[in-house]
Amino acid sequence: MARPISSFDRSIVLVGLMGAGKSTVGRRLARRLKMPFVDSDHEIETAASRSIAEIFEQYGEESFRDGERRVIARLIEGPPKVIATGGGAFMNERTRRLILSRCIAVWLDAEPEILAERVSRRDTRPLLRDKEALPFLRDLAEIRNPIYAEAHIHIRTLPSPHDRAVADILKALSALRSAA
């Protein structure tokens, strides 16, 4: 008898560029799977008692990435959950190896035009400070997408409801489980 889709022995980690929907999709996916949800950026802000933007400004990106890696490692150590990561988390080799070896990595992939429209709704992205979103995101996608492609599951997100991405992830998780 097949195990129900809601029973996983490892965390599901969402990766992808800013604006891909990792937090929103992650919350909905966690509800469907009856698993806890955590947003690593929120956990970092809580641990540091500052916003991501303040951490970047005061300590720089390298220090932020080190703290991010430690927080993600701590989150992975606990019981299985759905984890939304910041866009750059998977770029850190140590973080990426940890996620790929101990979790199911899901890449939420969206066109830069969609991402630019989504991120323009909030002014909280340190990497976008004083930059035009679309050209920056195109360049970032060119650099990061080959790394995101290492994820176990690749989900193309469209300008459609996030529930469509959740359904696509559930289908891919079911196929992954069947292949195991």
Side-chain angles (χ1 to χ4, degrees), residues 15-69:
V15 302
L17 288 171
M18 63 180 83
K22 298 179 298 288
S23 297
T24 304
V25 169
R27 279 186 198 87
R28 293 175 188 197
L29 179 65
R31 272 197 303 273
R32 291 284 302 273
L33 293 173
K34 296 177 177 55
M35 293 174 74
F37 169 78
V38 292
D39 184 307
S40 67
D41 281 351
H42 175 74
E43 295 296 316
I44 291 163
E45 289 178 335
T46 300
S49 299
R50 344 181 119 66
S51 71
I52 300 294
E54 289 170 331
I55 298 168
F56 262 76
E57 187 176 307
Q58 292 175 1
Y59 302 104
E61 184 174 1
E62 186 176 333
S63 179
F64 169 78
R65 296 295 174 204
D66 183 57
E68 178 179 56
R69 179 188 50 74

Side-chain angles (χ1 to χ4, degrees), residues 24-25 27-29 31-32 160-170:
T24 304
V25 169
R27 279 186 198 87
R28 293 175 188 197
L29 179 65
R31 272 197 303 273
R32 291 284 302 273
S160 57
H162 288 301
D163 286 332
R164 172 64 191 252
V166 171
D168 290 346
I169 294 169
L170 291 171

Side-chain angles (χ1 to χ4, degrees), residues 11-12 21 23 45 58 76 93 101 103 140 156 158 164 176:
S11 290
I12 298 165
S23 297
E45 289 178 335
Q58 292 175 1
I76 289 171
E93 186 178 346
S101 66
C103 306
L140 202 57
R156 295 280 299 161
L158 305 168
R164 172 64 191 252
L176 192 66

Side-chain angles (χ1 to χ4, degrees), residues 80-157:
K81 60 188 71 69
V82 175
I83 303 169
T85 62
F90 205 64
M91 298 302 103
N92 179 288
E93 186 178 346
R94 289 175 65 193
T95 304
R96 183 171 60 254
R97 279 196 321 254
L98 180 67
I99 290 169
L100 290 173
S101 66
R102 308 254 329 267
C103 306
I104 299 169
V106 178
W107 173 25
L108 295 184
D109 180 17
E111 293 297 324
E113 292 77 10
I114 295 168
L115 298 172
E117 190 274 321
R118 289 178 182 166
V119 300
S120 67
R121 297 176 194 157
R122 292 188 317 194
D123 184 27
T124 58
R125 316 272 182 172
L127 291 178
L128 281 177
R129 288 258 157 82
D130 304 320
K131 294 180 181 88
E132 193 176 330
L134 183 56
F136 177 78
L137 288 165
R138 282 183 179 143
D139 291 344
L140 202 57
E142 191 173 314
I143 295 165
R144 290 185 176 180
N145 285 358
I147 305 298
Y148 292 142
E150 294 180 31
H152 303 104
I153 296 171
H154 178 195
I155 302 295
R156 295 280 299 161
T157 61

